[in-house]
C-alpha cells in the first residue's frame, strides 16, 4: 500500500528557475495582465455606454470579456507573485479553489463562444425574425446556462481532484494548479480522475464545438447565396473575428486536456497554458475591435464625448 501523506501546501515549480528570466517574465506578464484588464474592462464599459452596441452580439461579447478578466485574474497574480518569491507555495485549499475557478471559467467560455456562434447564425440566416427570437429575455437565458452549467460541472471535477492522494511529492510542474500536473504527482485516486477529466473535457469540447461548426456551416451556405458583395463582406468580417477567438481557445485547451498526463505532455502543456491563460484574454478585445467597424466608431464617439466634456 502507498504511504499517503497529508497535504497542507504545494510548491509551484513555475516557468523557469533562472533568476534573470524570472525578472524578465515578471515584467512581460505584468504588462500583458495590465493590457488584459484595461482591454476587457474597457470593452465592457464601451458596450454598456454605447447605444449602437446594444445588440445581442455585443451583449454576449461583454460577457466573454468579463470571463476573460476572471480567467486571467485566477492565474496571473499568483504567477507574478511566485516569479519574485523564493518559496513559490500555494495552500492545498487555495490549489483546489484555483482548480475549481479555472475549470468553471473554461466551461463557461467555450459555451459562450458556442452561444455567440448561434447568435451569428440567427442574425445572418434569419434576419427577419432575429429581433423577436433573440430578445433581451432570450439572451439572458442563453448566457445564464453556461454560467450555471460551468460552475456545476467544475464542482464535480474538483471533488474528484480532492480524491487524489499524495505520497510526499508536492512539487507541481506548472505555474498554477492544473489537473494534468496534479494527476502526475498523485499516487492514489489517479485513474478515476484521469478518466473523468478526459471524458468530461471531450464531451463538452465536442458538444460546444459542434454547435459552432454547424452554425458556421449554415452561415457559409447563407452568405454564398447573398447577391450583395458588401453583404458577404460584412458577414464574413463579423464571423471572422469570432472564428479566430474560437480557434485559439479551443486549440490550446484541447492540446492540454485531451491527452494522458505524462512528463512530456505536462511540460508542453505548461508552455501552451501561458497562451490560453494570459495571451488569449489579452488578444480577444483586439480581435473583436480591430476588425469591427461598429466597435471602432463607438470608441471614437466615446473618446470624442469624453474630450469635449473635459
Amino acid at each position: 500500500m502507498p504511504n499517503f501523506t497529508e497535504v497542507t501546501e504545494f510548491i509551484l515549480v513555475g516557468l523557469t528557475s533562472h533568476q534573470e528570466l524570472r525578472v524578465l517574465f515578471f515584467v512581460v506578464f505584468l504588462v500583458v495582465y495590465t493590457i488584459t484588464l484595461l482591454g476587457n474592462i474597457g470593452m465592457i464599459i464601451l458596450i454598456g455606454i454605447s447605444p449602437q452596441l446594444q445588440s445581442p452580439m455585443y451583449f454576449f461579447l461583454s460577457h466573454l470579456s468579463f470571463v476573460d478578466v476572471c480567467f486571467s485574474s485566477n492565474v496571473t497574480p499568483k504567477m507574478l507573485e511566485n516569479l519574485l518569491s523564493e518559496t513559490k507555495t500555494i495552500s492545498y485549499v487555495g490549489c483546489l479553489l484555483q482548480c475549481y475557478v479555472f475549470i468553471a471559467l473554461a466551461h463557461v467560455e467555450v459555451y459562450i463562444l458556442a452561444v455567440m456562434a448561434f447568435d451569428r447564425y440567427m442574425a445572418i440566416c434569419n434576419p427577419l425574425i432575429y429581433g423577436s427570437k433573440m430578445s433581451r429575455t432570450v439572451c439572458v437565458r442563453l448566457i445564464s446556462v453556461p454560467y450555471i452549467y460551468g460552475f456545476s460541472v467544475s464542482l464535480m471535477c474538483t471533488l474528484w481532484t480532492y480524491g487524489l492522494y499524495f505520497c510526499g511529492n508536492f512539487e507541481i510542474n506548472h505555474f498554477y494548479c492544473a489537473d494534468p500536473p496534479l494527476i502526475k504527482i498523485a499516487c492514489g485516486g489517479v485513474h478515476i480522475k484521469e478518466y473523468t477529466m478526459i471524458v468530461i473535457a471531450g464531451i463538452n469540447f465536442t458538444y460546444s464545438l459542434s454547435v459552432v461548426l454547424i452554425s458556421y456551416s449554415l452561415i457559409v451556405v447563407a452568405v454564398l447565396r447573398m447577391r450583395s458583395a458588401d453583404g458577404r463582406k460584412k458577414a464574413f468580417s463579423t464571423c471572422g473575428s469570432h472564428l479566430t477567438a474560437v480557434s485559439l481557445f479551443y486549440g490550446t485547451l484541447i492540446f492540454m486536456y485531451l491527452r494522458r498526463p505524462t512528463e512530456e505532455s505536462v511540460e508542453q502543456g505548461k508552455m501552451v497554458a501561458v497562451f490560453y491563460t494570459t495571451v488569449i484574454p489579452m488578444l480577444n478585445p483586439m480581435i473583436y475591435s480591430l476588425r469591427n467597424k461598429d466597435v471602432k466608431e463607438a470608441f471614437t464617439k466615446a473618446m470624442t464625448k469624453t474630450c469635449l466634456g473635459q
Side-chain angles (χ1 to χ4, degrees):
M1 290 292 292
N3 184 19
F4 297 139
T5 308
E6 185 179 353
V7 186
T8 57
E9 63 182 16
F10 291 104
I11 299 171
L12 294 168
V13 173
L15 292 171
T16 180
S17 58
H18 299 289
Q19 183 62 37
E20 61 276 11
L21 289 179
R22 286 165 59 185
V23 174
L24 175 62
F25 284 160
F26 176 84
V27 174
V28 170
F29 288 118
L30 179 61
V31 171
V32 169
Y33 183 54
T34 303
I35 295 173
T36 299
L37 293 182
L38 293 176
N40 283 288
I41 293 174
M43 181 68 78
I44 294 169
I45 295 172
L46 183 64
I47 291 171
I49 65 174
S50 302
Q52 65 266 48
L53 300 182
Q54 298 306 306
S55 66
M57 180 175 76
Y58 298 109
F59 172 75
F60 296 133
L61 179 56
S62 67
H63 280 273
L64 181 66
S65 294
F66 171 73
V67 172
D68 278 339
V69 169
C70 297
F71 203 78
S72 184
S73 298
N74 181 48
V75 172
T76 309
K78 187 63 179 178
M79 179 180 68
L80 292 174
E81 176 190 334
N82 288 341
L83 282 170
L84 297 183
S85 174
E86 293 300 326
T87 54
K88 297 191 289 186
T89 59
I90 184 169
S91 68
Y92 179 69
V93 174
C95 185
L96 288 180
L97 182 61
Q98 194 175 60
C99 280
Y100 172 70
V101 174
F102 177 87
I103 295 170
L105 293 175
H107 281 89
V108 172
E109 182 145 347
V110 296
Y111 281 107
I112 286 180
L113 291 171
V115 168
M116 292 176 74
F118 174 74
D119 171 69
R120 290 298 81 211
Y121 157 74
M122 291 295 295
I124 294 171
C125 299
N126 301 285
L128 298 179
I129 60 172
Y130 177 68
S132 59
K133 292 295 184 181
M134 296 296 289
S135 64
R136 187 73 174 184
T137 302
V138 172
C139 289
V140 170
R141 288 175 181 172
L142 283 173
I143 203 64
S144 299
V145 173
Y147 286 103
I148 296 170
Y149 178 77
F151 281 91
S152 299
V153 169
S154 181
L155 178 60
M156 184 170 55
C157 294
T158 306
L159 289 174
W160 279 317
T161 304
Y162 180 73
L164 292 174
Y165 295 95
F166 303 89
C167 300
N169 181 14
F170 303 136
E171 283 196 350
I172 301 174
N173 185 19
H174 219 292
F175 56 90
Y176 72 93
C177 282
D179 279 344
L182 277 171
I183 292 171
K184 192 70 188 66
I185 66 172
C187 57
V190 172
H191 296 297
I192 186 171
K193 175 60 184 177
E194 183 179 308
Y195 176 77
T196 54
M197 180 190 75
I198 294 174
V199 169
I200 290 176
I203 290 172
N204 286 289
F205 289 157
T206 301
Y207 182 72
S208 57
L209 192 55
S210 295
V211 174
V212 174
L213 294 177
I214 292 171
S215 296
Y216 276 104
S217 297
L218 296 172
I219 287 170
V220 169
V221 173
V223 170
L224 292 177
R225 290 177 178 173
M226 290 180 180
R227 296 181 179 180
S228 168
D230 290 336
R232 288 196 297 269
K233 184 179 178 181
K234 183 177 180 181
F236 280 127
S237 176
T238 57
C239 294
S241 301
H242 183 247
L243 280 175
T244 303
V246 167
S247 301
L248 290 173
F249 194 70
Y250 275 86
T252 52
L253 280 180
I254 288 172
F255 183 85
M256 179 82 173
Y257 285 94
L258 290 183
R259 301 192 300 168
R260 292 189 68 244
T262 63
E263 290 288 351
E264 183 181 8
S265 68
V266 167
E267 189 64 35
Q268 291 172 348
K270 184 165 63 172
M271 298 300 105
V272 174
V274 171
F275 198 70
Y276 65 71
T277 57
T278 59
V279 179
I280 291 178
M282 178 190 71
L283 290 178
N284 275 344
M286 300 179 189
I287 291 171
Y288 284 101
S289 60
L290 294 177
R291 299 184 60 181
N292 191 302
K293 183 180 177 182
D294 292 336
V295 173
K296 288 188 284 189
E297 288 180 354
F299 178 75
T300 303
K301 289 180 180 179
M303 291 301 296
T304 302
K305 187 176 180 180
T306 303
C307 293
L308 291 177
Q310 291 177 347

